[in-house]
Amino acid sequence: MSGEILKSETLPYNDHSQRIIDFLKEKMDFFELSQSKVLFDYNPLIGELTIIDREKNKKYKKNVSEFESFDVNDEVVEEVKKYLKETSVENKEFTLQFKELNIKFHTLWSGLDTDQYIGVIGQIDRRI
């Protein structure tokens, strides 16, 4: 029976497992296409920021309350929050310049709630 269910094309799209697969695929596709050496993944539900440095082959995890260690001032944080509020399912991305960096943000949406993103991924590049 379970084999027949898996083969069925009539499974509802809002199935929880399918949404998780779509969410992870979107993240993988973004990271795969990125030529950047530094990537990030922000989970707003738990307030955790993960930075992946491909060049150094290192991964850093921080809680948002530890932003001070990234030398990010309140003005920059407020600007990022402003742009995040302006994102939508149709308008998922924006880029900001901070010091000598270009930071590209890509918001992730659940498919159920179109009023709030459920994650933010991105890439960090040095300005030329």
Side-chain angles (χ1 to χ4, degrees), residues 69-87:
S69 63
F70 289 115
D71 192 29
V72 177
N73 63 35
D74 290 338
E75 185 179 315
V76 173
V77 171
E78 290 307 312
E79 187 174 0
V80 169
K81 285 180 181 178
K82 176 186 149 242
Y83 280 99
L84 284 172
K85 285 180 186 175
E86 294 173 3
T87 61

Side-chain angles (χ1 to χ4, degrees), residues 117-128:
Y117 59 89
I118 59 170
V120 182
I121 54 178
Q123 62 188 40
I124 304 169
D125 294 301
R126 296 217 175 270
R127 282 197 261 168
I128 300 173

Side-chain angles (χ1 to χ4, degrees), residues 35-125:
Q35 298 298 313
S36 180
K37 292 181 174 85
V38 180
L39 305 169
F40 66 88
D41 184 350
Y42 172 60
N43 182 333
L45 299 174
I46 59 173
E48 185 175 81
L49 176 66
T50 303
I51 298 176
I52 302 143
D53 188 332
R54 289 177 172 173
E55 196 170 57
K56 294 179 183 175
N57 200 24
K58 292 201 176 206
K59 187 177 185 177
Y60 308 92
K61 284 190 178 205
K62 296 271 185 187
N63 191 288
V64 247
S65 62
E66 300 173 277
F67 269 131
E68 301 81 39
S69 63
F70 289 115
D71 192 29
V72 177
N73 63 35
D74 290 338
E75 185 179 315
V76 173
V77 171
E78 290 307 312
E79 187 174 0
V80 169
K81 285 180 181 178
K82 176 186 149 242
Y83 280 99
L84 284 172
K85 285 180 186 175
E86 294 173 3
T87 61
S88 67
V89 173
E90 296 82 25
N91 183 27
K92 294 180 177 190
E93 294 186 352
F94 64 94
T95 302
L96 292 178
Q97 294 181 347
F98 174 67
K99 296 186 179 184
E100 74 280 354
L101 304 173
N102 282 325
I103 307 171
K104 180 179 182 179
F105 296 81
H106 178 92
T107 53
L108 301 164
W109 300 77
S110 74
L112 290 179
D113 183 2
T114 58
D115 293 335
Q116 182 66 42
Y117 59 89
I118 59 170
V120 182
I121 54 178
Q123 62 188 40
I124 304 169
D125 294 301

